[in-house]
Amino acid sequence: MVDLSQYLPILLFLGVALALSGVFVFAPMAVSRLTGAHKPTAEKLTEYECGFPAFEDSRSQFDVRFYLVAILFIIFDLEAAFIYPWAVSVFKLGWVAWISMMIFIAELALGLAYAWKKGALDWE
């Protein structure tokens, strides 16, 4: 039979973590309600992220170019994530690692040139 008392520290840690996270989430909301900081006005309830009120249904489709730009951003952001550790250890890895990274950068440059030529980076 399994001795469940060994799991008591884990359950205590989980309980303390849940209690603290609840305090950190709900205490600021409660304090703001009690101190009067929560006073919604017309100016506070206006759109602040995009600058203009919603004019269509929220379930409408976005233009494909939006997704294309987002995917290109992720690709070139990941490129930096691959290049940094390589740059730190390039002298220890040797010529094979250097040539491999140059092939990787050339492939990314070709992809960027293709996207640029197709007009994926043009925004109207």
Side-chain angles (χ1 to χ4, degrees), residues 37-54:
H38 179 73
K39 294 180 182 174
T41 62
E43 287 84 16
K44 287 184 181 179
L45 296 176
T46 59
E47 294 79 11
Y48 61 93
E49 290 179 353
C50 60
F52 56 88

Side-chain angles (χ1 to χ4, degrees), residues 70-106:
I71 289 171
L72 288 172
F73 173 75
I74 290 172
I75 288 171
F76 290 105
D77 191 39
L78 287 176
E79 172 190 358
F82 283 128
I83 289 178
Y84 180 73
W86 169 81
V88 170
S89 61
V90 66
F91 294 113
K92 295 177 186 174
L93 298 175
W95 285 100
V96 175
W98 189 83
I99 292 170
S100 299
M101 185 55 75
M102 292 306 115
I103 292 171
F104 176 69
I105 291 174

Side-chain angles (χ1 to χ4, degrees), residues 4 22 24 28 34 36:
L4 295 179
F24 286 138
L34 294 174

